Amino acid sequence: MKCTKCGNPQVIIKKEQSGQALCKDCFIESIEKKAIKTVKKEKLLDKGDKVLVALSGGKDSVTVLEILNSFRKMHIIDICAVTVDEGIGGYRQDGVDIAINHAKRLGIEHRVVSLKEEYGITLDEIMQRENHRGSCTYCGVFRRALINKAAREMGATKIATGHNLDDEVQGIMMNYLEGNIDNLTKLGPKTESKAEEFTVKIKPLREIPEYEIGLYVVAKGLDVHFDSCPYSMQSFRAEVSDLINKLNEKHPTIKYSTLRGYDKIKKALGNSLDKQYSSSRCRICGQPSANELCRACSFIEELKGD
């Protein structure tokens, strides 16, 4: 087998969905071109943006940082980063250390923020409670709140996350199966809010499969944290992921077709569910909230009462 693009016999991947075989250099180039194509097609960046990368130290966030740094080198954007320490013993510190090293390597502004410092509790401590709601429920809400706060404080105009094709398809299926059509309409390459306090979020990797991102960081020799969150296998997302991957074995284009189908109906879904949201504020933190308490503060109050 030879590389489809250059003829190099040292092929490192054959893509089942396209039949394309690529050597290391051509594969790296293909991933970077695909991410840049998504950035341009979806108009994810504007000249002069300061983009905050949600940098966990894992393969996806390190890849986003690496690709966006190419725009930084061309003086199109500036970059900063934030790493959230959820407080997961034996797991999180390795990712934090890797994130710190990448920020130093590129010479970018970087902060580490933690659930313990902000909310007085770690995810490990939450998961020891008998009536907890599940790790991903708390982690997602608290992480978003901390990342958005850091973006405001660091003057970022965009927040870039490492959501890949698998993440997006899982999100689509999870929200549909749970009947959460409101959240379903909020997925996509760019998420904007009517509230100025919420920074625009972008997903440059949403059309790249998770496996290919893993191969990309290995091919480039990038140091990443490959361990999975010890709580992730308990989640509904993990069940949906297993289901999609089993389907993908016989239907290798199913992830792309699911994403393309969603993108076609998203606008229609949004128009049919165009609501007028309350512009009130959380009485504890002061952030925009449709209720008396925002989700993060309501969880903290709930945990205090346990």
Side-chain angles (χ1 to χ4, degrees):
M1 189 183 299
K2 293 182 180 181
C3 176
T4 308
K5 289 192 172 183
C6 72
N8 187 334
Q10 295 182 319
V11 168
I12 66 168
I13 185 173
K14 183 181 179 187
K15 299 187 179 186
E16 290 187 17
Q17 68 273 16
S18 65
Q20 192 178 47
L22 298 172
C23 67
K24 184 176 81 169
D25 290 342
C26 290
F27 171 69
I28 289 172
E29 183 183 21
S30 74
I31 293 294
E32 293 173 347
K33 280 187 173 180
K34 194 166 191 177
I36 291 169
K37 182 179 178 181
T38 297
V39 168
K40 292 179 178 178
K41 179 180 72 174
E42 304 293 351
K43 300 178 181 177
L44 301 186
L45 297 176
D46 296 300
K47 187 171 177 59
D49 268 336
K50 183 175 184 180
V51 182
L52 179 139
V53 176
L55 185 63
S56 68
K59 64 185 186 310
D60 303 308
S61 64
V62 170
T63 298
V64 167
L65 184 69
E66 190 74 6
I67 288 170
L68 290 183
N69 192 51
S70 65
F71 289 91
R72 175 175 171 252
K73 287 178 179 177
M74 293 185 286
H75 305 289
I76 296 172
I77 63 170
D78 193 10
I79 298 177
C80 57
V82 64
T83 301
V84 177
D85 181 355
E86 305 92 346
I88 305 174
Y91 165 73
R92 174 42 65 206
Q93 192 56 49
D94 287 344
V96 171
D97 292 340
I98 288 170
I100 290 170
N101 289 336
H102 279 297
K104 287 181 178 176
R105 171 176 68 89
L106 299 178
I108 63 171
E109 181 184 4
H110 177 238
R111 287 187 189 180
V112 178
V113 296
S114 74
L115 268 65
K116 187 69 173 179
E117 290 180 6
E118 185 71 18
Y119 301 112
I121 194 167
T122 66
L123 193 60
D124 280 344
E125 290 168 347
I126 292 172
M127 294 304 291
Q128 290 171 10
R129 306 290 180 93
E130 288 186 8
N131 298 319
H132 65 74
R133 293 170 176 261
S135 60
C136 292
T137 299
Y138 294 106
C139 190
V141 169
F142 291 143
R143 278 176 55 84
R144 282 192 293 272
L146 288 172
I147 291 169
N148 199 68
K149 181 181 179 183
R152 289 196 311 273
E153 293 175 350
M154 298 169 81
T157 54
K158 303 274 174 65
I159 295 171
T161 63
H163 289 82
N164 56 50
L165 176 65
D166 295 62
D167 295 325
E168 284 289 271
V169 173
Q170 289 161 20
I172 292 165
M173 294 304 299
M174 286 167 59
N175 283 297
Y176 179 77
L177 292 171
E178 292 178 318
N180 196 338
I181 307 303
D182 189 33
N183 274 358
L184 186 62
T185 63
K186 295 175 183 175
L187 299 174
K190 182 190 289 187
T191 305
E192 301 179 77
S193 173
K194 293 177 181 177
E196 293 181 0
E197 290 89 344
F198 296 138
T199 307
V200 175
K201 297 179 179 64
I202 60 172
K203 301 172 184 175
L205 307 182
R206 75 186 295 261
E207 297 189 36
I208 303 175
E210 182 176 27
Y211 169 74
E212 292 185 17
I213 293 172
L215 186 57
Y216 172 81
V217 295
V218 171
K220 286 209 74 169
L222 295 170
D223 187 23
V224 302
H225 187 216
F226 270 118
D227 291 348
S228 298
C229 172
Y231 297 119
S232 64
M233 297 312 295
Q234 303 171 18
S235 69
F236 179 50
R237 179 178 285 272
E239 295 181 62
V240 171
S241 175
D242 287 343
L243 176 63
I244 294 168
N245 285 333
K246 284 178 183 177
L247 288 170
N248 193 67
E249 289 174 7
K250 290 185 177 180
H251 311 280
T253 63
I254 199 164
K255 293 177 184 178
Y256 284 105
S257 61
T258 301
L259 186 72
R260 297 284 178 261
Y262 168 76
D263 286 347
K264 288 176 183 177
I265 66 172
K266 180 187 174 182
K267 187 173 181 180
L269 280 174
N271 290 339
S272 66
L273 293 172
D274 192 15
K275 298 185 197 175
Q276 293 299 318
Y277 289 96
S278 168
S279 59
S280 61
R281 293 183 177 272
C282 173
R283 66 172 171 80
I284 293 179
C285 70
Q287 293 304 301
S289 174
N291 302 302
E292 184 182 7
L293 296 180
C294 69
R295 198 88 189 278
C297 289
S298 68
F299 280 167
I300 292 301
E301 291 298 294
E302 180 180 281
L303 291 165
K304 285 178 180 177
D306 283 352

